[in-house]
Amino acid sequence: MSKTTHREDHLKALYALGHSGDSESEWVSTNQMATHLGVKPPSVTAMVHVLTELGWAEHRPYHGARLTPAGEKLALALVRKHRLWETFLVERLGFEWDEVHDIAEQLEHVDSVALVERLDQYLGHPDVDPHGDPIPKADGTFRNMEGVMPLSELGEFECAVVMGVKANDQTLSAMRDRGLGLGSKLTKNDLVTLPQAWLPQLMVKTS
Amino acid sequence: MSKTTHREDHLKALYALGHSGDSESEWVSTNQMATHLGVKPPSVTAMVHVLTELGWAEHRPYHGARLTPAGEKLALALVRKHRLWETFLVERLGFEWDEVHDIAEQLEHVDSVALVERLDQYLGHPDVDPHGDPIPKADGTFRNMEGVMPLSELGEFECAVVMGVKANDQTLSAMRDRGLGLGSKLTKNDLVTLPQAWLPQLMVKTS
DNA sequence: GGTCAACTTTAGCCAAGACTAAAAAAAAGT
DNA sequence: ACTTTTTTTTAGTCTTGGCTAAAGTTGACC
Ligand SMILES: [Mn+2]
Ligand SMILES: [Mn+2]
Ligand SMILES: [Mn+2]
Ligand SMILES: [Mn+2]
């Protein structure tokens, strides 16, 4: 990878791991980063030092790292590109939702502001990507996602609609085989029928 | 750049420089490669050794390098990707023909066979890119381009049609300002009116 | 054929990012 | 509180692809 691509992957990892909860940006441990990126901890320490030097992250030794506001802005731009490309691949090229992540992982590093903005326009300024994840706008704002929660945390309900899904490609493929997709309607009965592992992965809204 | 991207750029350079004439693949000098790629000659020598080791090029020291059949196949796949992306950028995203080369230079390195084939289908299997250059098919065959020659080599003619153009972005932009594009009709008068430097760059066919 | 200029390769160095092994710090257990 | 385990950092090495400077080769020109 280019120097830039490398830094971008670490920024994205910091962003993804720091926002896994609903709370503010959390401190992310070196081990978490290493696991997420598929490298060894010393490599992460080195890159965190670089990001700190660039003003994109701050580092408390033996405690963790997190993005600065500047780093967060860059990370959001990457997430925006990733999700726009995924949308293009599914909406225009006819890929399935379990086939696009790895390709978007490469496309997100193409450097051209004009390209991102034209792509966004071409796709009609979509709000969410094929997995129901919100696409940040150019200014970094998000679509409001309130009322959406994991199926596992839903209490009493009559009917729920799938608004998104947090799963790897293999699980996404299996869900597709069962006819699950964005907009699918679920009933109480599905709580028992579906694989239990999927319940926290299916993001739903009552209807 | 990634290891792969680097090798690919050298393969493309060998291809481009080795096919500049109409003849078979020619030996390409180290200096030519270095100039083309914007690096110093020793760097080229090193990469040529790597490509030779991989069976993609052959090297006659102090004489030059050229692609093997295996290397040529890989180079053609890259040219295919580059030109398909350029076509997408112009036809679908509305870029001008002088804005797409640098972006395609990045997109061509995205690694996914399925992506290239779906893109080709999405674009309706185009024969030529926005600059009139033929797009190799998946099997490596080309559209026949006979009858096309530089305007400077055209003898007597009544009317010629622009079939392609060999120019950098700056020149392409200037041509666009003059209303020139693929399909533009030229008359004898243009031989005097147009900038003389453009005559060998405008590929035309008599009509 | 000898000389010289141009080109190419080799030799040796640097930067970036990976790794392993060892040291240091923090957390956990008793 | 003291020991032990886990996590993180540092130290040192490897790979890849840049570079400059020096040496080698080719070929052109007398
Ligand atoms: Mn990536
Ligand atoms: Mn997604
Ligand atoms: Mn390229
Ligand atoms: Mn082109």
Side-chain angles (χ1 to χ4, degrees):
Chain A
M1 298 170 185
S2 71
K3 192 165 61 175
T4 306
T5 298
H6 242 265
R7 290 169 180 178
E8 288 178 346
D9 280 341
H10 282 75
L11 278 177
K12 265 210 334 172
L14 268 176
Y15 181 86
L17 297 170
H19 290 78
S20 52
D22 343 305
S23 52
E24 272 301 286
S25 187
E26 300 286 339
W27 292 97
V28 178
S29 80
T30 302
N31 257 3
Q32 272 181 287
M33 291 268 288
T35 303
H36 187 83
L37 291 166
V39 299
K40 301 292 176 181
S43 308
V44 172
T45 302
M47 181 54 71
V48 165
H49 287 164
V50 172
L51 296 183
T52 300
E53 205 60 36
L54 290 165
W56 297 344
E58 52 182 325
H59 184 213
R60 280 180 50 193
Y62 293 102
H63 186 268
R66 69 176 174 191
L67 294 173
T68 62
E72 183 124 350
K73 201 170 160 187
L74 291 171
L76 268 175
L78 286 165
V79 170
R80 172 171 164 78
K81 281 200 275 184
H82 184 100
R83 292 179 182 168
L84 282 172
W85 278 117
E86 282 188 342
T87 304
F88 167 72
L89 293 172
V90 168
E91 295 289 317
R92 301 301 167 119
L93 295 194
F95 280 99
E96 300 292 342
W97 72 353
D98 52 297
E99 299 174 320
V100 296
H101 181 80
D102 289 349
I103 301 177
E105 199 64 38
Q106 299 179 66
L107 288 165
E108 74 192 359
H109 299 290
V110 172
D111 179 27
S112 165
V113 176
L115 176 57
V116 184
E117 295 319 312
R118 279 183 186 267
L119 188 64
D120 182 44
Q121 185 184 348
Y122 185 58
L123 297 171
H125 309 289
D127 280 329
V128 295
D129 80 358
H131 311 105
D133 292 314
I135 299 175
K137 298 297 164 196
D139 61 12
T141 58
F142 263 79
R143 169 180 170 177
N144 190 346
M145 283 278 143
E146 68 183 314
V148 178
M149 67 185 70
L151 183 55
S152 54
E153 290 182 11
L154 200 58
E156 275 300 303
F157 73 105
E158 282 306 315
C159 181
V161 180
V162 175
M163 300 296 290
V165 65
K166 313 280 184 199
N168 60 27
D169 286 345
Q170 198 189 341
T171 305
L172 286 171
S173 174
M175 288 176 172
R176 180 159 61 84
D177 287 344
R178 291 247 188 153
L180 281 180
L182 294 196
S184 291
K185 293 197 168 45
L186 301 174
T187 62
K188 265 189 216 168
N189 187 38
D190 292 310
L191 284 179
V192 195
T193 314
L194 291 173
Q196 293 302 299
W198 293 3
L199 302 190
Q201 302 184 294
L202 287 164
M203 307 300 290
V204 300
K205 201 162 100 176
T206 55
S207 63
Chain B
M1 298 170 183
S2 71
K3 193 165 60 174
T4 306
T5 298
H6 243 267
R7 291 170 180 177
E8 287 178 347
D9 280 342
H10 282 74
L11 279 177
K12 265 210 336 173
L14 269 176
Y15 181 86
L17 296 170
H19 290 76
S20 52
D22 343 305
S23 51
E24 271 302 286
S25 188
E26 301 286 338
W27 292 97
V28 178
S29 80
T30 302
N31 257 2
Q32 272 181 287
M33 291 267 288
T35 302
H36 187 83
L37 291 166
V39 299
K40 301 292 176 181
S43 308
V44 171
T45 302
M47 182 54 71
V48 165
H49 287 164
V50 172
L51 297 183
T52 300
E53 205 59 38
L54 290 165
W56 298 342
E58 51 182 325
H59 185 213
R60 280 180 49 193
Y62 293 102
H63 185 271
R66 70 176 174 191
L67 294 173
T68 62
E72 184 124 350
K73 201 170 158 187
L74 291 169
L76 268 175
L78 285 165
V79 170
R80 173 172 164 77
K81 280 199 275 184
H82 184 100
R83 293 179 181 168
L84 282 172
W85 278 117
E86 282 189 343
T87 304
F88 167 72
L89 293 171
V90 168
E91 295 289 315
R92 301 301 167 120
L93 296 194
F95 280 100
E96 300 292 343
W97 72 353
D98 53 297
E99 300 174 319
V100 296
H101 181 80
D102 289 350
I103 301 176
E105 200 64 38
Q106 299 178 63
L107 288 165
E108 75 192 358
H109 300 289
V110 172
D111 180 28
S112 165
V113 176
L115 176 58
V116 184
E117 295 319 311
R118 279 183 187 267
L119 188 63
D120 182 44
Q121 186 184 347
Y122 185 59
L123 297 170
H125 309 289
D127 279 329
V128 295
D129 80 359
H131 311 106
D133 293 313
I135 299 174
K137 298 296 163 196
D139 61 14
T141 58
F142 263 82
R143 169 180 169 176
N144 190 347
M145 284 279 143
E146 67 183 313
V148 179
M149 67 185 69
L151 183 55
S152 55
E153 290 182 12
L154 200 58
E156 277 299 303
F157 73 105
E158 282 305 315
C159 183
V161 180
V162 176
M163 299 297 289
V165 66
K166 312 281 184 198
N168 60 27
D169 286 346
Q170 199 190 341
T171 305
L172 287 171
S173 174
M175 288 177 173
R176 179 158 61 84
D177 288 344
R178 290 248 187 155
L180 282 180
L182 294 195
S184 292
K185 294 198 170 43
L186 302 173
T187 62
K188 267 188 213 168
N189 188 40
D190 293 311
L191 284 178
V192 196
T193 314
L194 290 173
Q196 294 302 299
W198 293 3
L199 302 189
Q201 303 185 293
L202 287 164
M203 308 299 291
V204 300
K205 201 161 98 175
T206 54
S207 64

